[in-house]
Amino acid sequence: MSRAETTAGPGLQDGEQGQPLVGRQDSGRERLPAPPAPRAGRAVWTLGLFGSELLIVFRRVRTLALLAVLAGVPLLVGIAVRIETRDGSSVGGGDGGGPAFLEQISNNGLFLAFASLAATLPFFLPMAIGVVAGDAVAGEASTGTLRYLLVAPAGRTRLLLAKYASVLTFCVAATLVVVLSAVVVGFSLFPVGDVTLLSGNTVSLSDGILRGLLIALLVASSLIGLAALGLFISTLTDSGIGAMAATVGLLITIQIVNNIPQLHALQPYLFPHYWLSFADVMRAPVIWDGIVKNLALQALYAAVFGSAAWARFTTRDITS
Amino acid sequence: MALIQPAQPEAHEPGGGRRGRKAVRYAVPVAVVGVTAATIGLVPALADSGDPSLPSLTAEQIITKIAASDTQTVDGTVKISTDLGLPSVLSGGSGSSLFGGAVAPPSTGSRDGSRADPQRQFTQLLIGSHTLHVAVDGQDRQKVSIIESAAEYSLIHNGSQVWAYDSASNEAYHATAPAEAGEDRAHPRQAPSDAFPATPQAAAQQVLKAAQGTATITPDGTARVAGRSAYELLIRPQHASATTVDSIRIAVDSKTGVPLKFSLQPKGKGKAAIDIGYTKVSFDKPSASTFSFTPPKGAKVTEGRDTAREQKSPEGMSGLGEPTFIGSGWDTVAVFKAKGALPAAPEKNAKGGAASLLGGFGKQVSGSFGTGTLFHTRLVNVLLTQDGTVYAGAVDQSALTAAASGAAR
């Protein structure tokens, strides 16, 4: 397939000559230099493509706004807990409601990171991913820049891979933004010390931070499946808004289905079903079953919808 | 309009070539789904490589094996499924909330009681499916944890200390076990094994004690439980016409003699009413840190009632006296004479809150005991009479009302 695609470029059929070559509306796109040789430059090419995709994603005001909202969640949770526990009472009357790990925050600031991840993972984080993934291809199509992108002899498969890689990078960045914001807020508002695990065992703070890093990694990988799904939807339509709305709508629908007890037979196959398994890292001993299931499910979604996106994107006619 | 088509060597391809290639590409995701579905369907069937072949033993030999087992250390995961046919609204804990906070179990105790109180927590095991982590190191050190979604409830017994920690509410419960207690007391009164068997061992011991002389015990082949070869024992009640218990099956590890799985099948169709089994088990010594607990800073610690005092007045707990028994063997009906009126007694409760709620679950019956409310589950039937007496037993409904009538006459 690669040979066919490296020659893919100039497929312009009828006259577009009269129209000026409209620049990408996203100021971030840097025009790529022409490849010196098809084979030797391939790796550089792919990296360059990935780099320019990353720039596009992260230079967008929309992306920065999403990250700002994500950074605000730990701040809000932290301030709320701080105010509520000022007089020594426990959060929410001590009935264990609210996000996981909420009760422990006032005694150990590190738990704000876990509580914030538990609070943002069901909707905030995946919604941000849905916006970025849904926009990846369809956004280019709706602004009319996709065909110019394909004029460069990068090949559709590699373009898609670069897009997916940039979405995955955003997954990691979004998770890290939540964690870092939570750590900064948590460490400045609350005492920090030895960490009591869910099982009641106490471990040192450094052990707790290591577990926190592992949790951040697991949360970021929990979004792999949704990223592929969003990318697939993005290849289906030429409307960027439509793809974002469809991805986020699908996410909300699936989250609702995932919480209807009568549909339990279906739930193990829904991508958010094992998302909260990251909390198992905080047990002693760590229970890996749910974590492994989560990663396998994400890999499956990535394989199915990634290949579906590839099938769609490499065979469709790009009309805009 | 510019039309950028996918690259294709058009000259070489016949008319349907493009469509064919499209179909081939779309076949990739379909194939991935197909392979996954086949894997999910086939792997359990392939992994289940039949029952292990073990030298055949008689029932007595297997029971001796259980009794002779000197395994003192266990570290494993237990899955408990109970299907008594109770309304699932009572369970609460089974559904995970959207944000991962463990759902509070129904407040079975008083509202102001600590959430870390073992009695309150272990009640939830009666309904639904739960995963427990069990670590045992001899008589003095045990730990049982109920694994919840993003939370955990642990009961830790270490020497003379009994700690319970509920991570969802960050509350702890502390009690001291009598230091001079004998072997039987080493399990503190609060330990779950008294009220509800949390491990297959505890369940098997209770049943084998009860089954002596009242049931046929036969070996029933072998099975593979938690990756270990096990003998199966089948226990069927004898000389008991009214019992709801059809059979009990216990899988006993062929090497160590530890019961690994316990399941109780009620009469009638359906799945087991109680199913307790290890999904993972190791007989290595759990690390000492497993049993150490210091309440985290800021955790609310509730001191348990003094164990010794509690044993003097056990009825203080639930308002029920010591039970008396009618009948024998599997048909036994336990009778509790209530000290005070129970909420279920049809008293004039202003808005009928508790009474009508309970009445909605049960059905009204009458006999020489007057009228009462009968609560039916797949295993246990309970009759609450007007005067507050409770009849309970693993017998069918007619036998229970008959026993109640006979006792009241």
Side-chain angles (χ1 to χ4, degrees), chain A residues 11 14 103 107 147 196 199-201 259 283 289 300 314 317-319, chain B residues 1 3-4 18 25 36 98 143 148 151-152 168 170 280 289 293 297:
Chain A
D14 38 27
E103 293 287 340
N107 308 309
R147 54 189 156 154
T196 302
S199 312
N201 306 53
N259 276 277
R283 302 185 199 278
D289 296 12
L300 175 67
T314 53
D317 295 340
I318 308 291
T319 53
Chain B
M1 203 58 208
L3 185 69
I4 298 185
R18 183 149 170 253
R25 296 208 166 176
T36 312
L98 208 50
K143 176 172 180 177
E148 294 155 6
E152 199 165 318
N170 200 26
K280 242 184 237 156
S289 66
F293 177 77
K297 251 189 306 175

PDB file of all heavy atoms in Angstrom, chain A residues 11 14 103 107 147 196 199-201 259 283 289 300 314 317-319, chain B residues 1 3-4 18 25 36 98 143 148 151-152 168 170 280 289 293 297:
ATOM      1  N   GLY A  11      -3.711  14.559  -6.864  1.00  0.00           N
ATOM      2  CA  GLY A  11      -4.901  13.941  -7.427  1.00  0.00           C
ATOM      3  C   GLY A  11      -5.907  14.989  -7.839  1.00  0.00           C
ATOM      4  O   GLY A  11      -7.066  14.678  -8.067  1.00  0.00           O
ATOM      5  N   ASP A  14     -10.057  18.491 -11.468  1.00  0.00           N
ATOM      6  CA  ASP A  14     -10.451  19.582 -12.360  1.00  0.00           C
ATOM      7  C   ASP A  14      -9.944  20.911 -11.828  1.00  0.00           C
ATOM      8  O   ASP A  14      -9.421  21.010 -10.737  1.00  0.00           O
ATOM      9  CB  ASP A  14     -11.966  19.590 -12.554  1.00  0.00           C
ATOM     10  CG  ASP A  14     -12.667  19.239 -11.288  1.00  0.00           C
ATOM     11  OD1 ASP A  14     -12.078  19.500 -10.230  1.00  0.00           O
ATOM     12  OD2 ASP A  14     -13.778  18.690 -11.338  1.00  0.00           O
ATOM     13  N   GLU A 103     -12.566  11.748  50.681  1.00  0.00           N
ATOM     14  CA  GLU A 103     -12.483  11.848  52.139  1.00  0.00           C
ATOM     15  C   GLU A 103     -11.051  12.046  52.625  1.00  0.00           C
ATOM     16  O   GLU A 103     -10.818  12.627  53.676  1.00  0.00           O
ATOM     17  CB  GLU A 103     -13.057  10.586  52.781  1.00  0.00           C
ATOM     18  CG  GLU A 103     -14.544  10.403  52.584  1.00  0.00           C
ATOM     19  CD  GLU A 103     -15.359  11.353  53.432  1.00  0.00           C
ATOM     20  OE1 GLU A 103     -14.811  11.869  54.421  1.00  0.00           O
ATOM     21  OE2 GLU A 103     -16.530  11.586  53.097  1.00  0.00           O
ATOM     22  N   ASN A 107      -6.539  15.243  54.712  1.00  0.00           N
ATOM     23  CA  ASN A 107      -5.442  14.760  55.537  1.00  0.00           C
ATOM     24  C   ASN A 107      -4.165  14.548  54.751  1.00  0.00           C
ATOM     25  O   ASN A 107      -3.089  14.454  55.312  1.00  0.00           O
ATOM     26  CB  ASN A 107      -5.835  13.432  56.190  1.00  0.00           C
ATOM     27  CG  ASN A 107      -7.148  13.557  56.902  1.00  0.00           C
ATOM     28  OD1 ASN A 107      -7.327  14.460  57.700  1.00  0.00           O
ATOM     29  ND2 ASN A 107      -8.078  12.690  56.582  1.00  0.00           N
ATOM     30  N   ARG A 147      -7.472  18.693   1.671  1.00  0.00           N
ATOM     31  CA  ARG A 147      -6.940  18.303   0.366  1.00  0.00           C
ATOM     32  C   ARG A 147      -5.555  18.880   0.125  1.00  0.00           C
ATOM     33  O   ARG A 147      -4.734  18.264  -0.539  1.00  0.00           O
ATOM     34  CB  ARG A 147      -7.893  18.720  -0.743  1.00  0.00           C
ATOM     35  CG  ARG A 147      -8.238  20.179  -0.688  1.00  0.00           C
ATOM     36  CD  ARG A 147      -9.331  20.488  -1.659  1.00  0.00           C
ATOM     37  NE  ARG A 147     -10.035  21.685  -1.223  1.00  0.00           N
ATOM     38  CZ  ARG A 147     -10.681  22.475  -2.048  1.00  0.00           C
ATOM     39  NH1 ARG A 147     -10.728  22.189  -3.331  1.00  0.00           N
ATOM     40  NH2 ARG A 147     -11.305  23.537  -1.607  1.00  0.00           N
ATOM     41  N   THR A 196      -1.961   6.480  53.299  1.00  0.00           N
ATOM     42  CA  THR A 196      -2.699   5.288  53.702  1.00  0.00           C
ATOM     43  C   THR A 196      -3.440   4.742  52.482  1.00  0.00           C
ATOM     44  O   THR A 196      -4.235   5.452  51.869  1.00  0.00           O
ATOM     45  CB  THR A 196      -3.706   5.617  54.805  1.00  0.00           C
ATOM     46  OG1 THR A 196      -2.999   6.169  55.901  1.00  0.00           O
ATOM     47  CG2 THR A 196      -4.432   4.366  55.263  1.00  0.00           C
ATOM     48  N   SER A 199      -6.474  -0.263  51.395  1.00  0.00           N
ATOM     49  CA  SER A 199      -6.522  -1.455  52.232  1.00  0.00           C
ATOM     50  C   SER A 199      -6.143  -1.170  53.671  1.00  0.00           C
ATOM     51  O   SER A 199      -6.138  -2.082  54.491  1.00  0.00           O
ATOM     52  CB  SER A 199      -5.580  -2.516  51.677  1.00  0.00           C
ATOM     53  OG  SER A 199      -5.769  -2.675  50.309  1.00  0.00           O
ATOM     54  N   GLY A 200      -5.796   0.059  53.982  1.00  0.00           N
ATOM     55  CA  GLY A 200      -5.453   0.398  55.353  1.00  0.00           C
ATOM     56  C   GLY A 200      -3.966   0.369  55.623  1.00  0.00           C
ATOM     57  O   GLY A 200      -3.533   0.782  56.689  1.00  0.00           O
ATOM     58  N   ASN A 201      -3.162  -0.130  54.686  1.00  0.00           N
ATOM     59  CA  ASN A 201      -1.718  -0.147  54.897  1.00  0.00           C
ATOM     60  C   ASN A 201      -1.141   1.241  54.645  1.00  0.00           C
ATOM     61  O   ASN A 201      -1.675   1.998  53.845  1.00  0.00           O
ATOM     62  CB  ASN A 201      -1.051  -1.149  53.961  1.00  0.00           C
ATOM     63  CG  ASN A 201      -1.663  -2.523  54.080  1.00  0.00           C
ATOM     64  OD1 ASN A 201      -2.875  -2.664  53.964  1.00  0.00           O
ATOM     65  ND2 ASN A 201      -0.862  -3.511  54.320  1.00  0.00           N
ATOM     66  N   ASN A 259     -24.042   2.650  33.252  1.00  0.00           N
ATOM     67  CA  ASN A 259     -24.540   2.768  34.618  1.00  0.00           C
ATOM     68  C   ASN A 259     -25.965   2.268  34.774  1.00  0.00           C
ATOM     69  O   ASN A 259     -26.572   2.474  35.812  1.00  0.00           O
ATOM     70  CB  ASN A 259     -24.435   4.218  35.090  1.00  0.00           C
ATOM     71  CG  ASN A 259     -23.047   4.517  35.610  1.00  0.00           C
ATOM     72  OD1 ASN A 259     -22.735   4.229  36.757  1.00  0.00           O
ATOM     73  ND2 ASN A 259     -22.189   5.036  34.748  1.00  0.00           N
ATOM     74  N   ARG A 283      -4.353  -0.235  46.229  1.00  0.00           N
ATOM     75  CA  ARG A 283      -4.625  -1.306  47.191  1.00  0.00           C
ATOM     76  C   ARG A 283      -3.317  -2.023  47.521  1.00  0.00           C
ATOM     77  O   ARG A 283      -2.321  -1.889  46.829  1.00  0.00           O
ATOM     78  CB  ARG A 283      -5.588  -2.325  46.584  1.00  0.00           C
ATOM     79  CG  ARG A 283      -6.909  -1.739  46.152  1.00  0.00           C
ATOM     80  CD  ARG A 283      -7.808  -2.862  45.696  1.00  0.00           C
ATOM     81  NE  ARG A 283      -8.901  -2.392  44.865  1.00  0.00           N
ATOM     82  CZ  ARG A 283     -10.033  -1.871  45.321  1.00  0.00           C
ATOM     83  NH1 ARG A 283     -10.218  -1.759  46.611  1.00  0.00           N
ATOM     84  NH2 ARG A 283     -10.983  -1.475  44.501  1.00  0.00           N
ATOM     85  N   ASP A 289      -6.189  -7.353  37.823  1.00  0.00           N
ATOM     86  CA  ASP A 289      -7.202  -7.877  36.876  1.00  0.00           C
ATOM     87  C   ASP A 289      -7.898  -6.770  36.103  1.00  0.00           C
ATOM     88  O   ASP A 289      -7.930  -6.768  34.878  1.00  0.00           O
ATOM     89  CB  ASP A 289      -8.268  -8.680  37.638  1.00  0.00           C
ATOM     90  CG  ASP A 289      -7.687  -9.906  38.300  1.00  0.00           C
ATOM     91  OD1 ASP A 289      -6.443  -9.976  38.347  1.00  0.00           O
ATOM     92  OD2 ASP A 289      -8.454 -10.757  38.763  1.00  0.00           O
ATOM     93  N   LEU A 300      -8.182  -3.112  22.096  1.00  0.00           N
ATOM     94  CA  LEU A 300      -9.169  -3.637  21.153  1.00  0.00           C
ATOM     95  C   LEU A 300      -9.893  -2.504  20.436  1.00  0.00           C
ATOM     96  O   LEU A 300     -10.029  -2.520  19.205  1.00  0.00           O
ATOM     97  CB  LEU A 300     -10.175  -4.513  21.909  1.00  0.00           C
ATOM     98  CG  LEU A 300     -11.342  -5.047  21.092  1.00  0.00           C
ATOM     99  CD1 LEU A 300     -10.830  -6.025  20.058  1.00  0.00           C
ATOM    100  CD2 LEU A 300     -12.370  -5.712  21.978  1.00  0.00           C
ATOM    101  N   THR A 314      -8.489   5.953   3.765  1.00  0.00           N
ATOM    102  CA  THR A 314      -7.658   5.667   2.599  1.00  0.00           C
ATOM    103  C   THR A 314      -8.494   5.336   1.373  1.00  0.00           C
ATOM    104  O   THR A 314      -7.947   5.216   0.283  1.00  0.00           O
ATOM    105  CB  THR A 314      -6.712   4.480   2.879  1.00  0.00           C
ATOM    106  OG1 THR A 314      -7.492   3.385   3.344  1.00  0.00           O
ATOM    107  CG2 THR A 314      -5.658   4.849   3.893  1.00  0.00           C
ATOM    108  N   ASP A 317     -13.256   9.573  -1.055  1.00  0.00           N
ATOM    109  CA  ASP A 317     -12.924  10.712  -1.900  1.00  0.00           C
ATOM    110  C   ASP A 317     -12.905  11.956  -1.037  1.00  0.00           C
ATOM    111  O   ASP A 317     -13.853  12.209  -0.292  1.00  0.00           O
ATOM    112  CB  ASP A 317     -13.991  10.897  -2.996  1.00  0.00           C
ATOM    113  CG  ASP A 317     -13.995   9.716  -3.948  1.00  0.00           C
ATOM    114  OD1 ASP A 317     -12.969   8.996  -3.993  1.00  0.00           O
ATOM    115  OD2 ASP A 317     -15.013   9.508  -4.623  1.00  0.00           O
ATOM    116  N   ILE A 318     -11.813  12.690  -1.140  1.00  0.00           N
ATOM    117  CA  ILE A 318     -11.740  13.924  -0.369  1.00  0.00           C
ATOM    118  C   ILE A 318     -12.274  15.043  -1.261  1.00  0.00           C
ATOM    119  O   ILE A 318     -11.681  15.359  -2.287  1.00  0.00           O
ATOM    120  CB  ILE A 318     -10.299  14.237   0.044  1.00  0.00           C
ATOM    121  CG1 ILE A 318      -9.669  13.037   0.734  1.00  0.00           C
ATOM    122  CG2 ILE A 318     -10.249  15.472   0.920  1.00  0.00           C
ATOM    123  CD1 ILE A 318     -10.229  12.713   2.071  1.00  0.00           C
ATOM    124  N   THR A 319     -13.404  15.585  -0.893  1.00  0.00           N
ATOM    125  CA  THR A 319     -14.012  16.590  -1.763  1.00  0.00           C
ATOM    126  C   THR A 319     -13.814  18.000  -1.243  1.00  0.00           C
ATOM    127  O   THR A 319     -14.233  18.955  -1.883  1.00  0.00           O
ATOM    128  CB  THR A 319     -15.515  16.320  -1.896  1.00  0.00           C
ATOM    129  OG1 THR A 319     -16.069  16.235  -0.598  1.00  0.00           O
ATOM    130  CG2 THR A 319     -15.754  15.040  -2.644  1.00  0.00           C
TER     131      THR A 319
ATOM    132  N   MET B   1     -15.083  21.782  -8.264  1.00  0.00           N
ATOM    133  CA  MET B   1     -14.768  21.195  -6.963  1.00  0.00           C
ATOM    134  C   MET B   1     -13.633  20.195  -7.119  1.00  0.00           C
ATOM    135  O   MET B   1     -13.693  19.284  -7.950  1.00  0.00           O
ATOM    136  CB  MET B   1     -16.037  20.481  -6.465  1.00  0.00           C
ATOM    137  CG  MET B   1     -16.093  20.297  -4.979  1.00  0.00           C
ATOM    138  SD  MET B   1     -15.977  21.861  -4.136  1.00  0.00           S
ATOM    139  CE  MET B   1     -15.261  21.362  -2.630  1.00  0.00           C
ATOM    140  N   LEU B   3     -11.523  17.129  -6.517  1.00  0.00           N
ATOM    141  CA  LEU B   3     -11.845  15.808  -6.023  1.00  0.00           C
ATOM    142  C   LEU B   3     -10.543  15.037  -5.882  1.00  0.00           C
ATOM    143  O   LEU B   3      -9.911  14.688  -6.869  1.00  0.00           O
ATOM    144  CB  LEU B   3     -12.786  15.114  -7.008  1.00  0.00           C
ATOM    145  CG  LEU B   3     -13.300  13.770  -6.548  1.00  0.00           C
ATOM    146  CD1 LEU B   3     -14.248  13.953  -5.370  1.00  0.00           C
ATOM    147  CD2 LEU B   3     -14.013  13.057  -7.670  1.00  0.00           C
ATOM    148  N   ILE B   4     -10.135  14.864  -4.658  1.00  0.00           N
ATOM    149  CA  ILE B   4      -8.906  14.099  -4.467  1.00  0.00           C
ATOM    150  C   ILE B   4      -9.314  12.674  -4.170  1.00  0.00           C
ATOM    151  O   ILE B   4      -9.938  12.384  -3.151  1.00  0.00           O
ATOM    152  CB  ILE B   4      -8.068  14.670  -3.316  1.00  0.00           C
ATOM    153  CG1 ILE B   4      -7.671  16.088  -3.662  1.00  0.00           C
ATOM    154  CG2 ILE B   4      -6.845  13.811  -3.083  1.00  0.00           C
ATOM    155  CD1 ILE B   4      -6.749  16.718  -2.672  1.00  0.00           C
ATOM    156  N   ARG B  18     -11.721  -0.924  -7.377  1.00  0.00           N
ATOM    157  CA  ARG B  18     -11.693   0.023  -6.295  1.00  0.00           C
ATOM    158  C   ARG B  18     -12.634  -0.400  -5.176  1.00  0.00           C
ATOM    159  O   ARG B  18     -12.286  -0.368  -4.003  1.00  0.00           O
ATOM    160  CB  ARG B  18     -12.101   1.386  -6.834  1.00  0.00           C
ATOM    161  CG  ARG B  18     -12.028   2.418  -5.788  1.00  0.00           C
ATOM    162  CD  ARG B  18     -11.691   3.761  -6.360  1.00  0.00           C
ATOM    163  NE  ARG B  18     -11.882   4.698  -5.277  1.00  0.00           N
ATOM    164  CZ  ARG B  18     -12.902   5.543  -5.234  1.00  0.00           C
ATOM    165  NH1 ARG B  18     -13.760   5.595  -6.235  1.00  0.00           N
ATOM    166  NH2 ARG B  18     -13.032   6.335  -4.224  1.00  0.00           N
ATOM    167  N   ARG B  25     -10.196  -3.404   2.794  1.00  0.00           N
ATOM    168  CA  ARG B  25      -9.747  -2.566   3.913  1.00  0.00           C
ATOM    169  C   ARG B  25     -10.764  -2.583   5.051  1.00  0.00           C
ATOM    170  O   ARG B  25     -10.392  -2.649   6.211  1.00  0.00           O
ATOM    171  CB  ARG B  25      -9.532  -1.142   3.433  1.00  0.00           C
ATOM    172  CG  ARG B  25      -8.416  -1.134   2.415  1.00  0.00           C
ATOM    173  CD  ARG B  25      -7.674   0.158   2.359  1.00  0.00           C
ATOM    174  NE  ARG B  25      -6.449  -0.080   1.616  1.00  0.00           N
ATOM    175  CZ  ARG B  25      -5.585   0.854   1.298  1.00  0.00           C
ATOM    176  NH1 ARG B  25      -5.819   2.099   1.641  1.00  0.00           N
ATOM    177  NH2 ARG B  25      -4.497   0.567   0.647  1.00  0.00           N
ATOM    178  N   THR B  36     -11.613 -11.268  18.050  1.00  0.00           N
ATOM    179  CA  THR B  36     -11.837 -11.027  19.478  1.00  0.00           C
ATOM    180  C   THR B  36     -13.025 -11.841  19.986  1.00  0.00           C
ATOM    181  O   THR B  36     -12.943 -12.482  21.037  1.00  0.00           O
ATOM    182  CB  THR B  36     -12.102  -9.533  19.726  1.00  0.00           C
ATOM    183  OG1 THR B  36     -11.116  -8.789  19.041  1.00  0.00           O
ATOM    184  CG2 THR B  36     -12.067  -9.226  21.194  1.00  0.00           C
ATOM    185  N   LEU B  98     -21.107   6.853  39.269  1.00  0.00           N
ATOM    186  CA  LEU B  98     -20.412   7.342  38.090  1.00  0.00           C
ATOM    187  C   LEU B  98     -19.017   7.852  38.418  1.00  0.00           C
ATOM    188  O   LEU B  98     -18.098   7.742  37.627  1.00  0.00           O
ATOM    189  CB  LEU B  98     -21.247   8.456  37.472  1.00  0.00           C
ATOM    190  CG  LEU B  98     -21.085   8.639  35.980  1.00  0.00           C
ATOM    191  CD1 LEU B  98     -21.241   7.306  35.281  1.00  0.00           C
ATOM    192  CD2 LEU B  98     -22.119   9.606  35.481  1.00  0.00           C
ATOM    193  N   LYS B 143      -6.901 -10.989  57.938  1.00  0.00           N
ATOM    194  CA  LYS B 143      -7.389  -9.754  57.333  1.00  0.00           C
ATOM    195  C   LYS B 143      -8.378 -10.124  56.239  1.00  0.00           C
ATOM    196  O   LYS B 143      -8.103 -10.962  55.388  1.00  0.00           O
ATOM    197  CB  LYS B 143      -6.226  -8.962  56.738  1.00  0.00           C
ATOM    198  CG  LYS B 143      -6.680  -7.705  56.016  1.00  0.00           C
ATOM    199  CD  LYS B 143      -5.494  -6.859  55.623  1.00  0.00           C
ATOM    200  CE  LYS B 143      -5.967  -5.615  54.911  1.00  0.00           C
ATOM    201  NZ  LYS B 143      -4.866  -4.726  54.571  1.00  0.00           N
ATOM    202  N   GLU B 148     -14.379  -2.826  46.979  1.00  0.00           N
ATOM    203  CA  GLU B 148     -15.445  -2.051  46.357  1.00  0.00           C
ATOM    204  C   GLU B 148     -14.841  -1.227  45.241  1.00  0.00           C
ATOM    205  O   GLU B 148     -13.628  -1.154  45.098  1.00  0.00           O
ATOM    206  CB  GLU B 148     -16.095  -1.129  47.402  1.00  0.00           C
ATOM    207  CG  GLU B 148     -16.827  -1.896  48.493  1.00  0.00           C
ATOM    208  CD  GLU B 148     -16.936  -1.087  49.780  1.00  0.00           C
ATOM    209  OE1 GLU B 148     -16.556   0.086  49.776  1.00  0.00           O
ATOM    210  OE2 GLU B 148     -17.401  -1.643  50.776  1.00  0.00           O
ATOM    211  N   ALA B 151     -12.725   1.733  46.413  1.00  0.00           N
ATOM    212  CA  ALA B 151     -12.741   1.816  47.866  1.00  0.00           C
ATOM    213  C   ALA B 151     -12.588   0.402  48.409  1.00  0.00           C
ATOM    214  O   ALA B 151     -12.653  -0.575  47.664  1.00  0.00           O
ATOM    215  CB  ALA B 151     -14.036   2.442  48.373  1.00  0.00           C
ATOM    216  N   GLU B 152     -12.373   0.313  49.684  1.00  0.00           N
ATOM    217  CA  GLU B 152     -12.157  -0.990  50.263  1.00  0.00           C
ATOM    218  C   GLU B 152     -12.550  -0.935  51.730  1.00  0.00           C
ATOM    219  O   GLU B 152     -12.385   0.092  52.383  1.00  0.00           O
ATOM    220  CB  GLU B 152     -10.671  -1.360  50.117  1.00  0.00           C
ATOM    221  CG  GLU B 152     -10.380  -2.826  50.250  1.00  0.00           C
ATOM    222  CD  GLU B 152      -8.980  -3.182  49.738  1.00  0.00           C
ATOM    223  OE1 GLU B 152      -8.593  -2.655  48.678  1.00  0.00           O
ATOM    224  OE2 GLU B 152      -8.295  -3.940  50.409  1.00  0.00           O
ATOM    225  N   ALA B 168     -13.830   4.431  52.028  1.00  0.00           N
ATOM    226  CA  ALA B 168     -14.769   5.342  51.366  1.00  0.00           C
ATOM    227  C   ALA B 168     -15.115   6.514  52.277  1.00  0.00           C
ATOM    228  O   ALA B 168     -15.242   7.645  51.838  1.00  0.00           O
ATOM    229  CB  ALA B 168     -16.020   4.590  50.950  1.00  0.00           C
ATOM    230  N   ASN B 170     -13.310   7.041  55.193  1.00  0.00           N
ATOM    231  CA  ASN B 170     -12.120   7.305  55.986  1.00  0.00           C
ATOM    232  C   ASN B 170     -12.432   7.181  57.483  1.00  0.00           C
ATOM    233  O   ASN B 170     -12.044   8.013  58.278  1.00  0.00           O
ATOM    234  CB  ASN B 170     -11.556   8.693  55.660  1.00  0.00           C
ATOM    235  CG  ASN B 170     -10.096   8.821  56.066  1.00  0.00           C
ATOM    236  OD1 ASN B 170      -9.383   7.821  56.134  1.00  0.00           O
ATOM    237  ND2 ASN B 170      -9.661  10.038  56.352  1.00  0.00           N
ATOM    238  N   LYS B 280      -8.419 -16.919  43.261  1.00  0.00           N
ATOM    239  CA  LYS B 280      -6.959 -16.941  43.266  1.00  0.00           C
ATOM    240  C   LYS B 280      -6.573 -17.333  44.669  1.00  0.00           C
ATOM    241  O   LYS B 280      -7.142 -16.817  45.626  1.00  0.00           O
ATOM    242  CB  LYS B 280      -6.426 -15.532  42.979  1.00  0.00           C
ATOM    243  CG  LYS B 280      -5.611 -15.412  41.723  1.00  0.00           C
ATOM    244  CD  LYS B 280      -5.060 -14.021  41.612  1.00  0.00           C
ATOM    245  CE  LYS B 280      -5.495 -13.388  40.317  1.00  0.00           C
ATOM    246  NZ  LYS B 280      -5.476 -11.940  40.400  1.00  0.00           N
ATOM    247  N   SER B 289       3.452  -6.872  56.862  1.00  0.00           N
ATOM    248  CA  SER B 289       2.895  -5.524  56.744  1.00  0.00           C
ATOM    249  C   SER B 289       1.416  -5.557  56.390  1.00  0.00           C
ATOM    250  O   SER B 289       0.700  -4.579  56.591  1.00  0.00           O
ATOM    251  CB  SER B 289       3.669  -4.740  55.681  1.00  0.00           C
ATOM    252  OG  SER B 289       3.442  -5.328  54.417  1.00  0.00           O
ATOM    253  N   PHE B 293      -1.773  -1.938  60.915  1.00  0.00           N
ATOM    254  CA  PHE B 293      -2.671  -0.833  60.599  1.00  0.00           C
ATOM    255  C   PHE B 293      -2.496   0.276  61.608  1.00  0.00           C
ATOM    256  O   PHE B 293      -2.532   0.050  62.815  1.00  0.00           O
ATOM    257  CB  PHE B 293      -4.131  -1.310  60.594  1.00  0.00           C
ATOM    258  CG  PHE B 293      -5.111  -0.194  60.350  1.00  0.00           C
ATOM    259  CD1 PHE B 293      -5.292   0.290  59.067  1.00  0.00           C
ATOM    260  CD2 PHE B 293      -5.825   0.379  61.389  1.00  0.00           C
ATOM    261  CE1 PHE B 293      -6.185   1.325  58.830  1.00  0.00           C
ATOM    262  CE2 PHE B 293      -6.715   1.414  61.163  1.00  0.00           C
ATOM    263  CZ  PHE B 293      -6.888   1.882  59.875  1.00  0.00           C
ATOM    264  N   LYS B 297      -4.078   9.868  59.653  1.00  0.00           N
ATOM    265  CA  LYS B 297      -4.348  11.155  60.275  1.00  0.00           C
ATOM    266  C   LYS B 297      -5.737  11.635  59.890  1.00  0.00           C
ATOM    267  O   LYS B 297      -6.121  11.557  58.727  1.00  0.00           O
ATOM    268  CB  LYS B 297      -3.322  12.183  59.788  1.00  0.00           C
ATOM    269  CG  LYS B 297      -2.332  12.588  60.852  1.00  0.00           C
ATOM    270  CD  LYS B 297      -1.495  13.768  60.383  1.00  0.00           C
ATOM    271  CE  LYS B 297      -0.818  13.520  59.058  1.00  0.00           C
ATOM    272  NZ  LYS B 297      -0.108  14.612  58.487  1.00  0.00           N
TER     273      LYS B 297
END
